Amino acid sequence: MGEIIVVTSGKGGVGKTTTSASLACGFAKRGKKTVVVDFDIGLRNLDLIMGCERRVVYDFVNVINGDCTLKQALIKDKRFDNLCVLAASQTKDKDALTQEGVAKVIDELKAEFDIVLADSPAGIERGAYLAMYFADRAVVVVNPEVSSVRDSDRVLGIMASKSRRAEQGQGPIKEHLLLTRYSPERVEKGDMMSVADVEEILGVKVIGVVPESPDVLSASNSGVPVILDEQADAGLAYADAVARLLGEERPMRFTEPKKKGFFQRMFGG
Amino acid sequence: MGLLDLFRSRPKNTAKMAKERLLIIVAQERSAQSAPDYLPLLKRELLEVIRKYVNVDPDAVHVDVQREGDQEVLELSVTLPEGK
């Protein structure tokens, strides 16, 4: 039986889909049979970040409605043959995701794959709620910024109060934080909350810290998840997070300011 | 800090302000989340009863549920208007 990991945040634009895509490739690269599912019904985007947007034929809602089989809807990744993507539907019907429908698809995926990654939409409405409800573990993506931290706390509260695991007596969802858009230089200046600050406020441990980096935009521009860019700090940070999610110990990187040269120190920048 | 930074005046340590504000609001919202669903209705009905006898302000009634060990305590406080 596979494990269901939800990538969520409450607030939009913090890097959920970027994170889902990178974690999915990371798990696949580590030999785990992985599927990543886009729960953002109406606003499909994971396919673009994964670079498979032109190969979407059927989607999540098609499977629920029985328009196709699950196998027909799964898009095989071109880079890893143990990685699949299930795209979100672009329907405007808010009720397209039903709890029973999602349960059926999720359980079928769980039987087939080692890791089922659920890419949650922003907000706390049905798509987000269902992505969280079935999860065994949660990666809460958070920016070191007030509204993102507050929304993360709301999401953690929702997961603690209602989940299938808890209802089946398997204990609560295991929670992790993943800090993105982190700038150690700004933390040092006192302009940005630190890893320790965010951990203290939310009472949850950080599983990875991804530095603010232009490589993330380049990666989504080209449809190649940033984890596959081995020159990029952000990619290496995601690879560390994957290793930690698999139970390995890895020291945190990219949390200290980079050493500056003489001229940079004199003139800033 | 570079030389040029010395000429800029900027607010100091806003990260600390962010953390302090979040610690307060998060604690407040967590306790509101864990409160029972009947609390708002209970508060409204209590207010109606009290108003039959004393003309109090809606903000003068505070209803709070606190957890002390494994017991829950319903705390009710009403501020009566002065000099009446």
Side-chain angles (χ1 to χ4, degrees), chain A residues 1-2 33-35 74 84 109-116:
Chain A
M1 273 307 228
K33 201 173 176 202
T34 306
V35 60
L74 290 176
C84 286
L109 290 172
K110 206 174 164 178
E112 185 78 19
F113 291 88
D114 300 323
I115 308 265
V116 181

Side-chain angles (χ1 to χ4, degrees), chain A residues 154-180:
Chain A
R154 296 280 290 167
V155 159
L156 287 164
I158 292 167
M159 282 192 288
S161 70
K162 208 163 164 50
S163 70
R164 184 166 74 166
R165 276 185 72 81
E167 282 164 16
Q168 292 180 348
Q170 294 170 296
I173 298 173
K174 185 153 176 43
E175 302 155 340
H176 310 280
L177 299 178
L178 192 131
L179 220 55
T180 56

